Amino acid sequence: MLEQLSAAAVILGLACALYLTAAVVRHPQQMWIMNLVWPITALYFGPFAIWAYYAFGRRMDKPFWQSVAVGVFRTPRSAGCSSWRRPPGSCGSNGFGTEPVLLRLTALRLRIRSK
């Protein structure tokens, strides 16, 4: 039972990756690395990756908060905690700065400005 379920998940992930590969060939991204990232993401996110591609990857008129979210989550240790000199854990409990990232995204979404 579980073998069939896992095989179906792998097949679905491969099908989504092939679909997104064809999509980025037809509509290349502005950053060349994203042409690789979208199909790789589809391997483990499946249909959610296809939705994210059309919601975030293909839209050219993104709201400001979406462009900030894509930029923040593109690389780990972003959102102000990217200094390699800081000790692990100084930018949040896990050392990757996710708490400040979520706080900034919430503030951007609610249009709260800091002074």
Side-chain angles (χ1 to χ4, degrees):
M1 170 71 176
L2 289 178
E3 288 93 8
Q4 291 86 9
L5 182 63
S6 62
V10 168
I11 291 170
L12 181 64
L14 288 172
C16 291
L18 288 173
Y19 178 81
L20 281 181
T21 300
V24 297
V25 166
R26 282 179 291 195
H27 302 280
Q29 300 290 297
Q30 291 178 347
M31 295 177 57
W32 69 269
I33 194 68
M34 294 308 289
N35 293 333
L36 302 174
V37 168
W38 285 114
I40 291 171
T41 302
L43 289 173
Y44 54 89
F45 271 133
F48 179 72
I50 293 175
W51 171 83
Y53 171 72
Y54 283 106
F56 300 111
R58 286 277 299 272
R59 285 186 61 188
M60 292 299 148
D61 58 339
K62 293 179 190 157
F64 179 69
W65 72 271
Q66 280 185 359
S67 62
V68 170
V70 169
V72 164
F73 288 117
R74 184 169 286 146
T75 58
R77 297 190 60 93
S78 56
C81 294
S82 59
S83 174
W84 58 272
R85 292 182 213 119
R86 294 180 189 219
S90 65
C91 294
S93 61
N94 61 3
F96 288 105
T98 54
E99 288 84 2
V101 169
L102 294 176
L103 288 174
R104 287 182 183 187
L105 287 175
T106 304
L108 282 172
R109 187 66 180 137
L110 297 175
R111 303 213 190 301
I112 299 171
R113 303 277 181 195
S114 62
K115 295 183 180 183

